[in-house]
Amino acid sequence: MTQPNDVDLYERPLARIRRIVVILAIGGTVFVSIAYGWQTGVGFLVASIASYWSVWRWHRVVESLGPDTVRKRIPVSRFILQFLLLAAVGYVIVKYLEVNRLAAVSGLLVGAAAVILEIFYELAHGA
C-alpha cells in the first residue's frame, strides 16, 4: 500500500470540510425554511455562505504562512474592509429581512461544525 504524500494529507481533509459545509448549509436551509419560514431560511443560507467564505479565507491565510509562498500579501486595510463589509451584510440581513438572529448565528457556525465533523472522521478512519 502506498503512503499518501503530505499534500494529500492536507488537501483531502480540506476538500471534505468544504463538502461538509455545503451539505450542512443546504440541509440546514431546507430544515430552517420548512420549520421557520423562507425568510429565516434565506438568513441561514446567507450566513452559511459567509461561513464557507470564512473557511476558504482561513485556508488562504494558512497557505500564506508557508516558506514557499510567493503570493503578495493583502494589505491590512483591505483585510479589515472585507470583515467590515461582512458585518454590514450581516446587519442588513438581520435588520431588514427580519431574520431570526439564532438562525443567522447558527448559519455562521456551519464552518465550525464542519471542522468538528472532519475531526471525528479523521479519528474514526485514521490519517
Side-chain angles (χ1 to χ4, degrees):
M1 185 163 130
T2 61
Q3 292 292 331
N5 60 22
D6 289 341
V7 175
D8 287 341
L9 288 174
Y10 175 67
E11 290 297 328
R12 287 185 301 166
L14 285 171
R16 276 193 300 270
I17 288 171
R18 289 187 197 115
R19 282 193 303 269
I20 293 169
V21 167
V22 170
I23 291 167
L24 290 175
I26 292 170
T29 300
V30 169
F31 173 77
V32 169
S33 295
I34 291 170
Y36 302 104
W38 70 271
Q39 284 181 318
T40 306
V42 169
F44 183 88
L45 178 63
V46 172
S48 297
I49 291 169
S51 182
Y52 183 88
W53 178 79
S54 177
V55 167
W56 174 80
R57 189 77 184 137
W58 278 112
H59 177 227
R60 298 255 332 242
V61 167
V62 170
E63 278 184 336
S64 71
L65 297 176
D68 299 333
T69 304
V70 291
R71 278 190 245 181
K72 67 177 190 175
R73 294 185 179 257
I74 297 173
V76 174
S77 59
R78 181 173 166 207
F79 191 70
I80 292 171
L81 182 65
Q82 288 176 344
F83 279 106
L84 288 175
L85 180 64
L86 182 62
V89 168
Y91 175 78
V92 168
I93 290 167
V94 171
K95 182 75 174 174
Y96 295 107
L97 286 180
E98 298 176 5
V99 171
N100 183 337
R101 288 175 182 85
L102 183 59
V105 170
S106 298
L108 288 173
L109 293 175
V110 164
V115 170
I116 291 169
L117 289 173
E118 175 59 25
I119 290 170
F120 288 148
Y121 178 86
E122 287 291 329
L123 287 173
H125 294 96

